[in-house]
Coordinates of all heavy atoms in Angstrom, one line a residue:
I1 N 0.8 -1.2 0.0 CA 0.0 0.0 0.0 C 0.9 1.3 0.0 O 1.9 1.3 0.6 CB -1.0 0.0 1.2 CG1 -2.1 1.0 0.9 CG2 -0.3 0.2 2.5 CD1 -3.3 0.9 1.9
V2 N 0.4 2.2 -0.7 CA 1.1 3.5 -0.8 C 0.2 4.6 -0.1 O -1.0 4.3 0.1 CB 1.4 3.9 -2.3 CG1 2.3 3.0 -2.9 CG2 0.1 4.1 -3.1
P3 N 0.7 5.7 0.2 CA -0.2 6.8 0.7 C -1.3 7.1 -0.3 O -1.1 7.0 -1.5 CB 0.7 8.0 0.9 CG 2.1 7.4 1.1 CD 2.1 6.2 0.2
G4 N -2.5 7.4 0.2 CA -3.6 7.7 -0.7 C -4.9 7.7 0.0 O -5.0 7.7 1.2
I5 N -6.0 7.6 -0.8 CA -7.4 7.7 -0.4 C -8.1 6.4 -0.9 O -8.2 6.3 -2.1 CB -8.1 9.0 -0.9 CG1 -7.3 10.2 -0.5 CG2 -9.5 9.0 -0.5 CD1 -7.7 11.5 -1.3
F6 N -8.5 5.6 0.0 CA -9.0 4.3 -0.4 C -10.4 4.0 0.3 O -10.6 4.4 1.4 CB -8.0 3.1 0.1 CG -6.6 3.4 -0.4 CD1 -5.7 3.9 0.5 CD2 -6.3 3.1 -1.7 CE1 -4.4 4.1 0.1 CE2 -4.9 3.3 -2.1 CZ -4.0 3.8 -1.2
E7 N -11.2 3.3 -0.5 CA -12.5 2.8 0.1 C -12.1 1.6 0.9 O -11.7 0.6 0.4 CB -13.5 2.5 -1.0 CG -14.8 2.0 -0.5 CD -15.7 1.7 -1.6 OE1 -16.3 2.6 -2.2 OE2 -15.9 0.4 -1.8
S8 N -12.4 1.7 2.2 CA -12.1 0.5 3.1 C -13.3 -0.4 3.2 O -13.1 -1.6 3.1 CB -11.7 1.0 4.5 OG -11.5 0.0 5.4
R9 N -14.5 0.1 3.3 CA -15.7 -0.7 3.4 C -16.9 0.1 3.2 O -16.9 1.3 3.4 CB -15.7 -1.5 4.7 CG -15.8 -0.6 5.9 CD -15.8 -1.3 7.2 NE -17.0 -2.0 7.4 CZ -17.2 -3.0 8.2 NH1 -16.2 -3.5 8.9 NH2 -18.4 -3.6 8.4
V10 N -18.0 -0.6 2.8 CA -19.3 0.1 2.6 C -20.3 -0.8 3.5 O -20.3 -2.0 3.3 CB -19.7 0.1 1.2 CG1 -21.1 0.8 1.0 CG2 -18.7 0.8 0.3
D11 N -21.0 -0.1 4.3 CA -22.0 -0.7 5.2 C -23.4 -0.1 4.9 O -23.5 1.0 4.4 CB -21.6 -0.5 6.6 CG -20.3 -1.2 7.0 OD1 -20.3 -2.5 7.0 OD2 -19.4 -0.5 7.3
T12 N -24.4 -0.9 5.2 CA -25.7 -0.3 5.2 C -26.2 -0.2 6.6 O -26.2 -1.2 7.3 CB -26.7 -1.2 4.3 OG1 -26.1 -1.4 3.0 CG2 -28.1 -0.7 4.2
V13 N -26.6 1.0 7.0 CA -27.1 1.3 8.3 C -28.5 1.9 8.2 O -28.6 3.0 7.6 CB -26.1 2.3 9.0 CG1 -26.6 2.6 10.4 CG2 -24.7 1.7 9.1
G14 N -29.5 1.2 8.7 CA -30.8 1.8 8.6 C -31.3 2.0 7.2 O -32.0 2.9 6.9
G15 N -30.8 1.2 6.2 CA -31.2 1.3 4.8 C -30.3 2.3 4.1 O -30.4 2.5 2.8
D16 N -29.4 3.0 4.8 CA -28.5 4.0 4.1 C -27.1 3.5 4.0 O -26.6 2.8 5.0 CB -28.5 5.3 4.9 CG -29.9 6.0 4.9 OD1 -30.6 6.0 3.9 OD2 -30.3 6.5 6.0
K17 N -26.4 3.8 2.9 CA -25.0 3.4 2.8 C -24.1 4.3 3.6 O -24.4 5.5 3.7 CB -24.6 3.4 1.3 CG -25.3 2.3 0.6 CD -24.5 1.9 -0.6 CE -25.2 0.9 -1.5 NZ -25.1 -0.4 -1.0
V18 N -23.1 3.7 4.2 CA -22.1 4.5 5.0 C -20.8 3.9 4.5 O -20.6 2.7 4.5 CB -22.3 4.3 6.5 CG1 -21.2 4.9 7.3 CG2 -23.6 4.8 6.9
T19 N -19.8 4.8 4.1 CA -18.5 4.4 3.6 C -17.4 4.8 4.5 O -17.3 5.9 5.0 CB -18.3 4.9 2.2 OG1 -19.4 4.6 1.4 CG2 -17.0 4.4 1.6
T20 N -16.5 3.8 4.8 CA -15.3 4.1 5.6 C -14.2 4.2 4.6 O -14.0 3.3 3.7 CB -15.0 2.9 6.6 OG1 -16.1 2.8 7.4 CG2 -13.8 3.2 7.4
Y21 N -13.4 5.3 4.7 CA -12.3 5.5 3.8 C -11.0 5.4 4.6 O -10.9 5.9 5.8 CB -12.3 6.9 3.2 CG -13.6 7.1 2.3 CD1 -14.7 7.6 2.8 CD2 -13.5 6.7 0.9 CE1 -15.9 7.7 2.0 CE2 -14.6 6.8 0.1 CZ -15.8 7.3 0.6 OH -16.9 7.5 -0.2
D22 N -10.0 4.9 4.0 CA -8.6 4.8 4.6 C -7.9 5.9 4.0 O -7.6 6.0 2.8 CB -8.1 3.4 4.2 CG -6.6 3.2 4.5 OD1 -5.8 4.2 4.6 OD2 -6.2 2.0 4.5
I23 N -7.5 6.9 4.8 CA -6.7 8.0 4.4 C -5.3 7.7 4.8 O -4.9 8.0 6.0 CB -7.2 9.4 4.9 CG1 -8.8 9.4 4.8 CG2 -6.5 10.5 4.3 CD1 -9.3 9.2 3.4
R24 N -4.5 7.2 4.0 CA -3.1 6.7 4.3 C -2.1 7.7 4.0 O -1.8 8.0 2.9 CB -2.9 5.4 3.6 CG -1.7 4.6 4.0 CD -1.9 4.0 5.3 NE -3.0 3.0 5.3 CZ -3.1 1.9 6.0 NH1 -2.2 1.6 6.9 NH2 -4.2 1.1 6.0
L25 N -1.4 8.2 5.1 CA -0.3 9.2 4.9 C 1.1 8.5 4.8 O 2.0 9.2 4.2 CB -0.3 10.1 6.1 CG -1.3 11.2 6.1 CD1 -2.8 10.8 6.2 CD2 -1.0 12.2 7.2
K26 N 1.2 7.4 5.3 CA 2.6 6.7 5.3 C 2.5 5.3 4.8 O 1.5 4.6 4.9 CB 3.1 6.6 6.8 CG 3.4 8.0 7.4 CD 4.5 8.6 6.7 CE 4.8 10.0 7.2 NZ 5.9 10.6 6.4
K27 N 3.6 4.8 4.2 CA 3.7 3.5 3.7 C 3.9 2.5 4.9 O 4.9 2.6 5.6 CB 4.9 3.3 2.8 CG 4.8 4.0 1.5 CD 6.0 3.9 0.7 CE 6.0 4.8 -0.6 NZ 7.2 4.7 -1.3

């Protein structure tokens, strides 16, 4: 992995999508 902006996971909470992003600053 390199530094960047990544989609870590997508969940559904109460019918709505919620996305966790990995904001990686360091290798």
